[in-house]
Amino acid sequence: MDKIDTLVAEVSDPIAEIDRALDPWRMDRKLREVSVDEIVSVFYEAESLGKRAWIAMAICCGVAQERAGRGDGMMEKLAKAFSYDKSRIVRLARAYRDVIKPRLEQQGSNAQFPLVERGWYETAAENAKRLGVDPLELLEDAESKSVDNPHFTQRRWRSELGLTQTKSGLIAAMKTLSEVDRSDIDRLAKSEDTKELVGKLQSLFAAGEGF
């Protein structure tokens, strides 16, 4: 975690160190002081630090986009820099712009993000306009319902908001999948990086770590 380590003071507890390193307020402030190349390095390192690390990745995308400006061409360049699909970079940057950044501006260093999964934030950011509400208010609705009912799910929330996937949307998604070049899939499956990742995952399952 070399780049991330430079953002925080060292502490003795490894878990506390990771949580401190991924603190959204601290991350947002510090990333504004470094180069885009350093932001990319932080993005890569954050990716390996667990579920909550996606917020740090979103902050990286959002701050980098603010530096670079908007537009499909610029997002293509950012996607290439982050080695991620453009649609994923766009969604992460939007979650930052519409939900994460407003909360940081509202709550400052006390900002909390109790919902861990990325889907809550993306749903709020991507559907608030069509629902006629503020993205942050929509996220707060999900947070409130999750407190009242610990078993409250994203699927149920989307259903309550009237955002269940339509038949036409499902057909479109299936059509997109059917158009993926089989050779690309085979190439990915045979790559050394994929084999290494699968090996690591198998070892984790066998050891029961993190699950």
Side-chain angles (χ1 to χ4, degrees), residues 4-33:
I4 290 182
D5 284 343
T6 64
L7 302 180
V8 298
E10 290 186 4
V11 294
S12 58
D13 183 351
I15 301 301
E17 182 178 354
I18 290 174
D19 287 343
R20 185 174 171 82
L22 295 177
D23 176 72
W25 168 260
R26 185 184 300 271
M27 181 72 71
D28 185 69
R29 301 278 75 77
K30 291 298 182 180
L31 287 181
R32 296 179 183 282
E33 302 172 1

Short mmCIF file of all heavy atoms in Angstrom, two decimals, residues 4-33:
data_model
loop_
_atom_site.label_atom_id
_atom_site.label_comp_id
_atom_site.label_asym_id
_atom_site.label_seq_id
_atom_site.Cartn_x
_atom_site.Cartn_y
_atom_site.Cartn_z
N ILE A 4 -0.96 4.64 -0.76
CA ILE A 4 -1.97 4.91 0.26
C ILE A 4 -1.31 5.20 1.59
O ILE A 4 -1.76 6.05 2.35
CB ILE A 4 -2.96 3.74 0.37
CG1 ILE A 4 -3.83 3.68 -0.90
CG2 ILE A 4 -3.85 3.87 1.59
CD1 ILE A 4 -4.86 2.61 -0.90
N ASP A 5 -0.23 4.50 1.89
CA ASP A 5 0.47 4.72 3.16
C ASP A 5 0.91 6.18 3.31
O ASP A 5 0.98 6.70 4.42
CB ASP A 5 1.69 3.82 3.27
CG ASP A 5 1.31 2.38 3.60
OD1 ASP A 5 0.17 2.18 4.04
OD2 ASP A 5 2.13 1.48 3.40
N THR A 6 1.22 6.81 2.21
CA THR A 6 1.68 8.20 2.29
C THR A 6 0.55 9.15 2.63
O THR A 6 0.79 10.29 2.99
CB THR A 6 2.31 8.65 0.96
OG1 THR A 6 1.31 8.64 -0.08
CG2 THR A 6 3.44 7.72 0.55
N LEU A 7 -0.69 8.69 2.53
CA LEU A 7 -1.83 9.55 2.81
C LEU A 7 -2.18 9.59 4.28
O LEU A 7 -2.94 10.43 4.72
CB LEU A 7 -3.07 9.07 2.03
CG LEU A 7 -2.93 9.00 0.52
CD1 LEU A 7 -4.24 8.52 -0.09
CD2 LEU A 7 -2.56 10.36 -0.06
N VAL A 8 -1.67 8.64 5.06
CA VAL A 8 -2.06 8.54 6.47
C VAL A 8 -0.84 8.28 7.35
O VAL A 8 0.18 7.81 6.90
CB VAL A 8 -3.09 7.40 6.68
CG1 VAL A 8 -4.34 7.67 5.90
CG2 VAL A 8 -2.49 6.06 6.30
N ALA A 9 -1.00 8.57 8.63
CA ALA A 9 0.04 8.23 9.60
C ALA A 9 -0.07 6.75 9.92
O ALA A 9 -1.15 6.18 9.91
CB ALA A 9 -0.16 9.06 10.87
N GLU A 10 1.07 6.11 10.21
CA GLU A 10 1.05 4.69 10.50
C GLU A 10 0.39 4.44 11.86
O GLU A 10 0.56 5.21 12.81
CB GLU A 10 2.48 4.14 10.53
CG GLU A 10 3.13 4.11 9.16
CD GLU A 10 4.48 3.42 9.22
OE1 GLU A 10 4.84 2.94 10.30
OE2 GLU A 10 5.15 3.38 8.18
N VAL A 11 -0.35 3.34 11.97
CA VAL A 11 -0.92 2.91 13.23
C VAL A 11 -0.59 1.43 13.39
O VAL A 11 -0.26 0.75 12.43
CB VAL A 11 -2.46 3.12 13.27
CG1 VAL A 11 -2.79 4.58 13.23
CG2 VAL A 11 -3.13 2.40 12.11
N SER A 12 -0.68 0.93 14.62
CA SER A 12 -0.22 -0.43 14.88
C SER A 12 -1.18 -1.50 14.38
O SER A 12 -0.75 -2.58 13.99
CB SER A 12 0.01 -0.61 16.39
OG SER A 12 -1.19 -0.34 17.10
N ASP A 13 -2.47 -1.24 14.39
CA ASP A 13 -3.47 -2.23 14.00
C ASP A 13 -3.64 -2.22 12.48
O ASP A 13 -4.05 -1.21 11.91
CB ASP A 13 -4.80 -1.90 14.67
CG ASP A 13 -5.88 -2.94 14.37
OD1 ASP A 13 -5.65 -3.81 13.52
OD2 ASP A 13 -6.95 -2.86 14.99
N PRO A 14 -3.35 -3.33 11.77
CA PRO A 14 -3.46 -3.36 10.30
C PRO A 14 -4.86 -3.02 9.79
O PRO A 14 -5.00 -2.32 8.79
CB PRO A 14 -3.08 -4.81 9.96
CG PRO A 14 -2.24 -5.27 11.10
CD PRO A 14 -2.83 -4.60 12.30
N ILE A 15 -5.90 -3.52 10.48
CA ILE A 15 -7.28 -3.24 10.05
C ILE A 15 -7.58 -1.76 10.21
O ILE A 15 -8.15 -1.11 9.34
CB ILE A 15 -8.29 -4.07 10.85
CG1 ILE A 15 -8.02 -5.57 10.66
CG2 ILE A 15 -9.71 -3.73 10.40
CD1 ILE A 15 -8.09 -6.04 9.23
N ALA A 16 -7.16 -1.21 11.34
CA ALA A 16 -7.38 0.22 11.58
C ALA A 16 -6.61 1.05 10.56
O ALA A 16 -7.07 2.10 10.12
CB ALA A 16 -6.94 0.58 13.00
N GLU A 17 -5.45 0.55 10.17
CA GLU A 17 -4.63 1.26 9.18
C GLU A 17 -5.35 1.33 7.84
O GLU A 17 -5.37 2.37 7.19
CB GLU A 17 -3.29 0.56 9.02
CG GLU A 17 -2.35 1.27 8.04
CD GLU A 17 -1.00 0.61 7.93
OE1 GLU A 17 -0.74 -0.34 8.68
OE2 GLU A 17 -0.23 1.04 7.08
N ILE A 18 -5.96 0.21 7.45
CA ILE A 18 -6.69 0.19 6.19
C ILE A 18 -7.90 1.12 6.25
O ILE A 18 -8.15 1.90 5.34
CB ILE A 18 -7.13 -1.25 5.84
CG1 ILE A 18 -5.91 -2.10 5.48
CG2 ILE A 18 -8.12 -1.25 4.68
CD1 ILE A 18 -6.22 -3.56 5.26
N ASP A 19 -8.67 1.03 7.36
CA ASP A 19 -9.84 1.90 7.51
C ASP A 19 -9.44 3.37 7.48
O ASP A 19 -10.12 4.20 6.87
CB ASP A 19 -10.56 1.59 8.83
CG ASP A 19 -11.31 0.27 8.79
OD1 ASP A 19 -11.54 -0.24 7.67
OD2 ASP A 19 -11.66 -0.25 9.87
N ARG A 20 -8.34 3.68 8.12
CA ARG A 20 -7.86 5.06 8.16
C ARG A 20 -7.40 5.50 6.78
O ARG A 20 -7.67 6.62 6.34
CB ARG A 20 -6.72 5.16 9.17
CG ARG A 20 -6.19 6.58 9.40
CD ARG A 20 -5.16 6.55 10.53
NE ARG A 20 -4.45 7.81 10.66
CZ ARG A 20 -4.91 8.87 11.31
NH1 ARG A 20 -6.10 8.83 11.87
NH2 ARG A 20 -4.19 9.99 11.39
N ALA A 21 -6.74 4.60 6.08
CA ALA A 21 -6.25 4.93 4.74
C ALA A 21 -7.39 5.18 3.78
O ALA A 21 -7.30 6.01 2.88
CB ALA A 21 -5.37 3.79 4.22
N LEU A 22 -8.51 4.45 3.99
CA LEU A 22 -9.64 4.57 3.07
C LEU A 22 -10.66 5.60 3.53
O LEU A 22 -11.72 5.73 2.91
CB LEU A 22 -10.33 3.20 2.93
CG LEU A 22 -9.49 2.10 2.28
CD1 LEU A 22 -10.27 0.78 2.27
CD2 LEU A 22 -9.09 2.48 0.86
N ASP A 23 -10.37 6.33 4.60
CA ASP A 23 -11.31 7.34 5.08
C ASP A 23 -11.64 8.31 3.94
O ASP A 23 -10.74 8.97 3.39
CB ASP A 23 -10.68 8.12 6.23
CG ASP A 23 -11.58 9.26 6.69
OD1 ASP A 23 -12.61 8.97 7.30
OD2 ASP A 23 -11.24 10.43 6.39
N PRO A 24 -12.91 8.40 3.55
CA PRO A 24 -13.28 9.21 2.37
C PRO A 24 -12.87 10.67 2.47
O PRO A 24 -12.39 11.25 1.47
CB PRO A 24 -14.81 9.05 2.31
CG PRO A 24 -15.06 7.73 2.94
CD PRO A 24 -14.07 7.66 4.07
N TRP A 25 -13.06 11.28 3.63
CA TRP A 25 -12.72 12.69 3.78
C TRP A 25 -11.22 12.90 3.57
O TRP A 25 -10.79 13.77 2.82
CB TRP A 25 -13.15 13.18 5.16
CG TRP A 25 -12.61 14.53 5.54
CD1 TRP A 25 -11.54 14.80 6.34
CD2 TRP A 25 -13.09 15.79 5.08
NE1 TRP A 25 -11.35 16.15 6.45
CE2 TRP A 25 -12.28 16.79 5.68
CE3 TRP A 25 -14.13 16.19 4.25
CZ2 TRP A 25 -12.48 18.15 5.47
CZ3 TRP A 25 -14.33 17.56 4.03
CH2 TRP A 25 -13.51 18.51 4.63
N ARG A 26 -10.43 12.09 4.23
CA ARG A 26 -8.97 12.19 4.12
C ARG A 26 -8.51 11.91 2.69
O ARG A 26 -7.67 12.60 2.13
CB ARG A 26 -8.32 11.20 5.10
CG ARG A 26 -6.82 11.29 5.18
CD ARG A 26 -6.31 10.19 6.10
NE ARG A 26 -6.85 10.32 7.43
CZ ARG A 26 -6.28 11.05 8.39
NH1 ARG A 26 -5.15 11.69 8.14
NH2 ARG A 26 -6.82 11.13 9.58
N MET A 27 -9.10 10.86 2.10
CA MET A 27 -8.74 10.48 0.74
C MET A 27 -9.05 11.62 -0.25
O MET A 27 -8.23 11.97 -1.10
CB MET A 27 -9.50 9.22 0.34
CG MET A 27 -9.20 8.70 -1.05
SD MET A 27 -7.58 7.94 -1.20
CE MET A 27 -7.83 6.44 -0.24
N ASP A 28 -10.24 12.19 -0.12
CA ASP A 28 -10.66 13.26 -1.03
C ASP A 28 -9.73 14.47 -0.94
O ASP A 28 -9.31 15.03 -1.95
CB ASP A 28 -12.10 13.66 -0.71
CG ASP A 28 -12.64 14.68 -1.69
OD1 ASP A 28 -12.87 14.31 -2.86
OD2 ASP A 28 -12.85 15.85 -1.30
N ARG A 29 -9.41 14.87 0.29
CA ARG A 29 -8.55 16.04 0.48
C ARG A 29 -7.14 15.80 -0.08
O ARG A 29 -6.58 16.65 -0.76
CB ARG A 29 -8.45 16.38 1.98
CG ARG A 29 -9.77 16.68 2.64
CD ARG A 29 -10.26 18.13 2.43
NE ARG A 29 -10.77 18.41 1.11
CZ ARG A 29 -11.98 18.02 0.68
NH1 ARG A 29 -12.77 17.32 1.44
NH2 ARG A 29 -12.40 18.35 -0.52
N LYS A 30 -6.59 14.63 0.23
CA LYS A 30 -5.20 14.36 -0.17
C LYS A 30 -5.06 14.16 -1.68
O LYS A 30 -4.06 14.55 -2.26
CB LYS A 30 -4.68 13.13 0.57
CG LYS A 30 -4.47 13.36 2.05
CD LYS A 30 -3.42 14.44 2.31
CE LYS A 30 -3.17 14.63 3.79
NZ LYS A 30 -2.16 15.68 4.05
N LEU A 31 -6.06 13.53 -2.31
CA LEU A 31 -5.96 13.29 -3.75
C LEU A 31 -5.95 14.58 -4.55
O LEU A 31 -5.48 14.61 -5.69
CB LEU A 31 -7.10 12.38 -4.23
CG LEU A 31 -7.00 10.91 -3.83
CD1 LEU A 31 -8.18 10.12 -4.39
CD2 LEU A 31 -5.69 10.30 -4.31
N ARG A 32 -6.47 15.64 -3.97
CA ARG A 32 -6.47 16.93 -4.66
C ARG A 32 -5.09 17.57 -4.66
O ARG A 32 -4.86 18.57 -5.33
CB ARG A 32 -7.49 17.87 -4.00
CG ARG A 32 -8.90 17.35 -4.14
CD ARG A 32 -9.94 18.23 -3.48
NE ARG A 32 -11.25 17.62 -3.63
CZ ARG A 32 -11.99 17.63 -4.73
NH1 ARG A 32 -11.53 18.26 -5.80
NH2 ARG A 32 -13.17 17.05 -4.79
N GLU A 33 -4.17 16.98 -3.89
CA GLU A 33 -2.83 17.54 -3.78
C GLU A 33 -1.79 16.76 -4.58
O GLU A 33 -0.61 17.14 -4.60
CB GLU A 33 -2.40 17.55 -2.30
CG GLU A 33 -3.34 18.33 -1.40
CD GLU A 33 -3.01 18.15 0.07
OE1 GLU A 33 -2.03 17.42 0.36
OE2 GLU A 33 -3.72 18.73 0.91
#
